[in-house]
Amino acid sequence: MAIRNLKHICCILLTLCFFSANASHIVGGVMNYRYLGNNNFEITLFVYRDDIRANPGATLDDPAVIRVYNGSTETQFDFTLPFDSFLNSPLVDPCATIAITERIDWTKYRGVINLPPNSNGYTIYYQRCCRNNSILNITKDPVSNTIEWGATYTINIPPAVGGQHVNNSSPVFLNYPPVYICNNKPITYNHAATDADGDRLVYSLCDPFSGADVADPTNVANDEPPPFTVVQWRNPYSLANVLSGVPLAVNATTGLLSGTPNTVGQFVVGVCVDEYRNGI
């Protein structure tokens, strides 16, 4: 049985063409944690944003406001992650043609939080609006009537055992998928993760979370604790067919991502990894 609170999600926007947008938008992200001992956890957040220099929209938060949920209430309102660094741009398939005015910023945030052990564990999350309005495989946000859903990037720390935190750190994806891929070209991408504790990892495609909206892009005024709302797939897309063409799939054991898209456009994709230890 998989413990659901040990699931980690990497969400990314795949673009199958040259495209032009009117403002910067959130492209994808993932959150990790590392247990340091003495109830201290190092939290790392990676965020992708498409950088439209002529008309910026989704600015890079500095700091990023992080929420902490203890299983019943939101317990921390003052924990933020300082901006750490820009990283190298994600990979681009050499067959893609990309506008010179557009690039993908890959940013890192990192900080340490002290969390008293509890019997529920913790959900740590970051919520930010907005995604690109040109995405093909999800429906419109019913509030804004656009596809500019926000996004939630989250990790879950397992419940304490015997009043002590489990000595566990989250899996870390080794690579992140290229945000530009080519139409009618097979995808073969290593989306494997590594686990510092040697836990067995199982991969799957999963529904990306929404979170925040146009009216409150950093979710300062609203409270959206778990369980998080997922984006809604637009017909004919679904979790079994997040792209058109040969359906995108991930090998449960190896994390190998494969498929062959046949429609030009932008698509949201979520990849999850579950940890198993001693059969649990």
Side-chain angles (χ1 to χ4, degrees):
M1 178 179 67
I3 298 179
R4 308 313 294 174
N5 63 0
L6 290 183
K7 172 168 282 192
H8 304 277
I9 303 174
C10 176
C11 294
I12 200 71
L13 177 73
L14 296 180
T15 300
L16 304 177
C17 65
F18 165 93
F19 77 98
S20 181
N22 294 322
S24 301
H25 289 85
I26 297 299
V27 170
V30 66
M31 188 180 285
N32 302 317
Y33 75 85
R34 185 165 63 97
Y35 185 49
L36 305 177
N38 298 318
N39 302 334
N40 291 313
F41 293 85
E42 179 185 73
I43 308 299
T44 304
L45 169 69
F46 296 94
V47 176
Y48 290 103
R49 182 201 67 166
D50 59 353
D51 181 11
I52 313 300
R53 299 173 185 277
N55 187 14
T59 57
L60 294 171
D61 297 331
D62 189 7
V65 177
I66 306 299
R67 297 177 180 237
V68 180
Y69 183 73
N70 70 355
S72 59
T73 61
E74 193 174 85
T75 61
Q76 300 278 344
F77 294 92
D78 57 353
F79 177 52
T80 60
L81 289 179
F83 180 84
D84 184 287
S85 60
F86 280 107
L87 303 176
N88 293 329
S89 295
L91 295 175
V92 175
D93 194 303
C95 69
T97 303
I98 303 168
I100 296 175
T101 57
E102 206 169 293
R103 75 173 189 185
I104 300 298
D105 286 332
W106 180 21
T107 59
K108 180 172 71 173
Y109 299 85
R110 183 165 54 191
V112 175
I113 186 171
N114 186 277
L115 296 173
N118 73 16
S119 59
N120 295 322
Y122 291 92
T123 300
I124 301 176
Y125 55 105
Y126 169 73
Q127 295 174 316
R128 190 65 164 87
C129 193
C130 298
R131 303 180 191 270
N132 279 285
N133 197 36
S134 53
I135 296 171
L136 295 182
N137 62 343
I138 59 175
T139 63
K140 292 184 178 181
D141 182 328
V143 176
S144 64
N145 198 35
T146 72
I147 305 179
E148 292 186 329
W149 294 87
T152 297
Y153 306 120
T154 178
I155 56 171
N156 295 278
I157 294 171
V161 176
Q164 300 291 325
H165 279 297
V166 176
N167 186 11
N168 184 73
S169 297
S170 68
V172 176
F173 287 108
L174 296 172
N175 302 300
Y176 295 94
V179 292
Y180 298 96
I181 58 178
C182 293
N183 198 23
N184 295 312
K185 180 178 178 180
I187 301 167
T188 303
Y189 193 81
N190 179 15
H191 211 310
T194 184
D195 190 277
D197 310 302
D199 296 328
R200 184 170 67 90
L201 304 181
V202 177
Y203 305 89
S204 63
L205 295 177
C206 53
D207 296 308
F209 292 132
S210 63
D213 56 36
V214 176
D216 186 16
T218 57
N219 236 17
V220 174
N222 296 320
D223 185 19
E224 294 185 57
F228 302 116
T229 302
V230 298
V231 298
Q232 300 300 305
W233 301 107
R234 176 188 287 178
N235 187 45
Y237 301 103
S238 66
L239 191 58
N241 180 32
V242 295
L243 300 178
S244 54
V246 177
L248 193 68
V250 61
N251 185 292
T253 302
T254 66
L256 185 68
L257 196 67
S258 62
T260 304
N262 66 1
T263 301
V264 169
Q266 293 174 291
F267 303 83
V268 172
V269 174
V271 177
C272 289
V273 56
D274 282 307
E275 299 178 73
Y276 291 78
R277 184 181 301 177
N278 297 325
I280 298 175

